[in-house]
Amino acid sequence: MARLHLFDLDGTLLHGTTAPVEISRQLGLEAETVALDRAIGAGLIGPPEYAAQVYDLWAGLTEAHVTAAFEAAPWLTRIREVWAEIRSAGEYCAVVSLSPSFFVERLREWGAHATHGSRFPAVPFTEPVDPAGALSAAAKVTIADRLCAEFGVARADCVAYGDSSSDKELFAVVPVSVAVNADGHLAGLATHSYTGRDLWDAYELVAGIS
């Protein structure tokens, strides 16, 4: 049976940062977004509140800002090589992230079969954001189940890669997981743990599992 590899983005594929912080860096609003990241990480606000507040910060956001943020972000190395290997093995890879869809969707060009992020309007914003479109930790499980149905696999065939509390619920329902540069929220939950800057090394921890 083919496997479905489910990758988190913030703190996992991106090393030590989040997509909103990298986007805001292009607008000179990094500190404000780091504060929002801390607030949501501490449970002081939820995904809908986060989406509404970061949307307000990004009133002047352009597609050029998003492109610059994507290209300058501190990605782990060999992401495309890992996804090419997964594809060549007849398996599937997807990115499921709480970050904005307009950023996450760019990873399709790197070889992801599917990408899911919090729903935001197209950039530059001419429509309001719908806070109900913000993904949560529970939504990651729902999306994983939807992807399983799409690709003809089961939860038992899934491998999850993540780093923080937003990955806990997904880690709890799949048989194999890799904590990548993870914080304490995933302690004792992951099948494997990896610290470093190369996704291939993390992937190798599960590559031999059938």
Side-chain angles (χ1 to χ4, degrees), residues 97-106 115-122:
S97 170
L98 275 57
S99 276
S101 50
F102 60 77
F103 190 93
V104 182
E105 287 164 0
R106 290 172 172 251
T115 57
H116 290 269
S118 293
R119 292 195 309 274
F120 270 71

Side-chain angles (χ1 to χ4, degrees), residues 81-104:
E81 289 84 349
V82 167
W83 292 351
E85 179 66 21
I86 288 171
R87 282 177 169 270
S88 71
E91 299 185 339
Y92 304 99
C93 51
V95 181
V96 184
S97 170
L98 275 57
S99 276
S101 50
F102 60 77
F103 190 93
V104 182

Side-chain angles (χ1 to χ4, degrees), residues 55-67:
Y55 171 86
D56 288 341
L57 283 178
W58 293 341
L61 189 64
T62 67
E63 191 68 19
H65 290 130
V66 179
T67 297

Side-chain angles (χ1 to χ4, degrees), residues 2 20 25 44 53 68 72 79 159 165 207:
R25 194 189 309 279
L44 301 177
Q53 292 184 47
I79 294 173
V159 182
S165 59

